[in-house]
Amino acid sequence: MLQRRHVLKGLAAATLAPVVTPATRCFASATDRMQLGLVTYNWGKDWDIPTIIENCEQTGFTGVELRSTHRHGVEISLDDAQRADVKARFEDSKVQLVGLGSACEYHSDDPAKLKKNIEETKAFVRLCHDVGGSGVKVRPNGFPKGVPIEKTLQQIGISLREVGEHAEGFGVQIRLEVHGHGTSELPHIKTMMDVADHPNVVLCWNCNPTDMIGEGFEHNFNLVREKIGTIHIHDLRNDAYPWPALFEKLKQLQTPAFTGWTLLEDGKVPKDIVQAMHANKEVWNALVRNS
């Protein structure tokens, strides 16, 4: 449960007022400069909100995507007062709440599971609006056995359109992470996005090894460049990924979808996370400056 240390600024989170939102501000100005943030999976999974804010401020990370199920406890079960408290904590800090990381997915061939994931996404959208975030991350997560691939791609795309239309009314993006065995291949991701065909549904580029398969990195990036909204980078001290090429591409993006946020997410947790964040900030600065 969140510990409250601020005086609540009213229960504005309980009302729907999407006229001016973090997302709309993001669309207007994010391509002006690149921004570095943190995903709390896995480097911040054991931190509460005050610790997340403190460590991000200390290391120069100016934003955060809060992953569901982690210690910070920002979940769809929060009541109105708790949501207002989360919003106030970030507004009183130098760290922007970029969005929420859900595990919602739309590939299941079970209609009940599909409906549950769609409704859960809509609940995350309302939560994101209430706590002051600008987007909800969702994902594809593989192909069900015995189902034609094209049918699954259509289903994912149609589901994305439904949640995207819903989220638009809250000023919240739906961000499709490039994820899952098979589903992370960029031609399949392009099909999902083409079927969704909604400006509020954008892509979360995930810096996967599959980005280099087929016709290669540049071709795969260009397949979806107009749809890219956010980026999940990994530990930049690992040169297995073509970071200079990626950052050069990102600096050239001038599309309405792109928020400018590069968010560090890595499965390997270092012994000293804060030191690793400092080190990554230095590499990030060099990439932004030199690419």
Side-chain angles (χ1 to χ4, degrees):
M1 183 63 66
L2 298 172
Q3 295 180 352
R4 299 172 62 190
R5 64 175 183 176
H6 297 285
V7 176
L8 294 181
K9 299 179 178 179
L11 296 181
T15 61
L16 173 61
V19 177
V20 179
T21 68
T24 54
R25 291 196 299 270
C26 193
F27 295 159
S29 62
T31 54
D32 293 343
R33 66 182 181 89
M34 301 281 288
Q35 302 178 85
L36 176 62
L38 178 72
V39 182
T40 58
Y41 179 89
N42 271 321
W43 286 19
K45 66 183 177 66
D46 297 322
W47 297 344
D48 58 15
I49 288 178
T51 304
I52 290 169
I53 290 173
E54 178 183 356
N55 289 343
C56 284
E57 287 183 340
Q58 178 183 341
T59 55
F61 281 59
T62 55
V64 66
E65 178 187 294
L66 299 177
R67 178 63 157 80
S68 178
T69 74
H70 291 337
R71 185 183 174 189
H72 54 70
V74 180
E75 305 290 348
I76 57 178
S77 58
L78 294 184
D79 63 26
D80 291 339
Q82 291 168 324
R83 293 173 187 223
D85 187 51
V86 172
K87 184 175 183 179
R89 288 177 186 273
F90 282 100
E91 287 182 342
D92 290 346
S93 78
K94 298 177 182 179
V95 180
Q96 181 176 333
L97 179 50
V98 179
L100 304 180
S102 80
C104 296
E105 52 198 31
Y106 317 116
H107 65 276
S108 177
D109 58 350
D110 182 336
K113 288 183 179 179
L114 175 61
K115 182 178 180 179
K116 179 179 182 295
N117 275 270
I118 289 174
E119 294 307 311
E120 186 172 297
T121 304
K122 293 177 180 179
F124 269 105
V125 165
R126 181 58 183 261
L127 173 65
C128 188
H129 168 271
D130 291 349
V131 297
S134 64
V136 173
K137 187 224 73 179
V138 299
R139 68 188 188 188
N141 200 22
F143 293 110
K145 293 181 180 180
V147 179
I149 287 177
E150 287 302 319
K151 181 178 179 180
T152 300
L153 295 176
Q154 283 284 126
Q155 176 179 294
I156 293 171
I158 291 169
S159 301
L160 286 168
R161 186 189 308 152
E162 178 178 343
V163 296
E165 289 173 350
H166 176 83
E168 186 175 25
F170 291 82
V172 171
Q173 283 184 331
I174 297 296
R175 298 166 178 160
L176 181 71
E177 185 180 32
V178 181
H179 185 272
H181 181 68
T183 51
S184 64
E185 296 178 18
L186 272 304
H188 292 326
I189 293 290
K190 181 181 187 303
T191 299
M192 298 173 205
M193 297 298 290
D194 287 347
V195 173
D197 190 26
H198 195 285
N200 202 50
V201 179
V202 301
L203 199 64
C204 175
W205 184 269
N206 201 34
C207 298
N208 300 316
T210 50
D211 299 345
M212 275 73 75
I213 67 173
E215 296 185 52
F217 171 78
E218 184 169 2
H219 172 82
N220 288 329
F221 186 92
N222 288 337
L223 283 177
V224 296
R225 62 176 291 124
E226 299 299 316
K227 302 290 187 180
I228 293 174
T230 56
I231 312 294
H232 281 180
I233 58 175
H234 309 306
D235 193 332
L236 296 172
R237 297 170 297 177
N238 184 338
D239 61 3
Y241 195 84
W243 300 120
L246 173 67
F247 275 73
E248 183 59 38
K249 289 286 187 184
L250 296 180
K251 289 172 66 177
Q252 295 169 5
L253 280 184
Q254 295 293 326
T255 65
F258 186 48
T259 64
W261 283 109
T262 56
L263 304 163
L264 196 155
E265 175 189 60
D266 203 281
K268 295 182 180 179
V269 181
K271 290 182 179 179
D272 188 334
I273 297 174
V274 172
Q275 186 278 329
M277 290 172 68
H278 275 296
N280 270 270
K281 181 63 161 63
E282 291 182 7
V283 179
W284 185 89
N285 286 339
L287 285 166
V288 172
R289 183 172 59 249
N290 296 330
S291 57

